[in-house]
Amino acid sequence: MHDAPLMTARDLHKRFGETQALDSASVDLHAGEVLALMGPSGSGKSTLLHCLAGIVAPDAGSIIYDGRDLAQMSDVERSALRRSEFGFVFQFGQLVPELTCLENVALPLRLAGVGRRAAEKSAAEWLRRLEVADVADKRPGQASGGQGQRVAVARALVTSPRVVFADEPTGALDSLNGERVMQLLIAAARDTGAAVVLVTHEARIAAYSDREAVVRDGRVREQEFAR
Ligand SMILES: Nc1ncnc2c1ncn2[C@@H]1O[C@H](COP(=O)(O)OP(=O)(O)OP(=O)(O)O)[C@@H](O)[C@H]1O
């Protein structure tokens, strides 16, 4: 891990009204590493993840991703970056309810201009890999929570992103399902070389990471170079 970081965030500040969500938060992300953001509720973990992912603009501070300064990019450029280089998994899959699970996983490829057949072929392969091929033709509402999260992981990885942002991806699952979804997410990320930024407050889930950063009061208080 001695190469230059893939992403460097320095002194991020973000205020929502009276709340100082980020207060000089700094963190690095290296290519291919799994970084867990831990810390108490309300400490700023999700806000930090949203800033790193270019979803929320910090009030101050810098985020350099692969030599590019996110603040210098237009909204259109940031959206294009998110679509082509990042994948997302949230606590509640956030799948499109009207589409089948297969169509949901194919969607990021379709948006990137891939033809329907090729996109659905890749989507089917990812559903198999995540052990949910059987829900391909079902709508998300007909799948269980654990199946839905696996579909969401497949959707996040189908474009071979360089970074997967996962915000409490197992927070709504029972522990057995949660562990399996984490194992599948990490295995898929390792296979494809994607880095993962994982927000969690569960030590059991953070144990899947290479490194833990603790967010407290809007700052990254300590970084353990564990494992
Ligand atoms: N869009 C928003 N509008 C107003 N306040 C917000 C917004 N987003 C976050 N906050 C506030 O900023 C602080 C940090 O929130 P954030 O969601 O980043 O914390 P967190 O560590 O992820 O919390 P949790 O573990 O409970 O999800 C909290 O006080 C929260 O209420």
Side-chain angles (χ1 to χ4, degrees):
M1 296 254 175
H2 297 297
D3 299 343
L6 178 61
M7 186 173 257
T8 303
R10 287 290 171 271
D11 300 322
L12 302 183
H13 289 78
K14 182 69 190 178
R15 178 179 275 280
F16 295 105
E18 294 293 295
T19 306
Q20 190 74 48
L22 293 181
D23 184 11
S24 217
S26 298
V27 72
D28 288 342
L29 178 70
H30 288 82
E33 82 168 328
V34 180
L35 170 69
L37 299 179
M38 305 277 296
S41 183
S43 60
K45 303 179 296 293
S46 295
T47 305
L48 179 56
L49 178 139
H50 291 151
C51 287
L52 296 177
I55 296 170
V56 163
D59 301 329
S62 70
I63 303 168
I64 309 294
Y65 170 74
D66 197 22
R68 285 169 281 179
D69 184 341
L70 291 196
Q72 301 296 318
M73 298 169 79
S74 67
D75 286 348
V76 172
E77 287 170 332
R78 265 195 303 274
S79 306
L81 178 77
R82 279 200 301 273
R83 265 208 310 276
S84 62
E85 310 234 351
F86 299 163
F88 295 91
V89 188
F90 297 104
Q91 184 169 359
F92 302 100
Q94 296 184 340
L95 300 166
V96 181
E98 295 81 8
L99 299 181
T100 66
C101 290
L102 182 79
E103 289 165 343
N104 265 283
V105 178
L107 187 59
L109 292 174
R110 299 285 290 137
L111 292 173
V114 177
R116 177 183 291 275
R117 281 184 63 169
E120 293 194 348
K121 187 161 178 275
S122 294
E125 278 161 22
W126 272 102
L127 286 175
R128 254 198 305 283
R129 208 158 158 176
L130 272 299
E131 304 172 345
V132 278
D134 48 328
V135 299
D137 298 327
K138 292 187 175 175
R139 292 185 204 288
Q142 299 168 301
S144 71
Q147 288 169 332
Q149 282 307 78
R150 292 172 194 219
V151 174
V153 171
R155 183 188 54 180
L157 282 148
V158 73
T159 53
S160 304
R162 289 177 80 191
V163 186
V164 175
F165 292 96
D167 195 349
E168 301 270 9
T170 63
L173 303 179
D174 62 61
S175 58
L176 209 63
N177 263 304
E179 296 256 337
R180 190 68 193 131
V181 167
M182 271 317 293
Q183 286 163 356
L184 290 165
L185 167 60
I186 300 298
R190 301 257 189 242
D191 272 5
T192 59
V196 179
V197 180
L198 169 70
V199 166
T200 183
H201 53 251
E202 293 178 70
R204 194 174 46 77
I205 294 300
Y208 287 93
S209 70
D210 299 314
R211 189 156 65 92
E212 297 176 15
V214 179
V215 184
R216 281 215 177 86
D217 301 328
R219 282 175 184 240
V220 181
R221 294 288 184 183
E222 56 191 88
Q223 293 195 35
E224 292 172 18
F225 291 83
R227 290 174 280 279

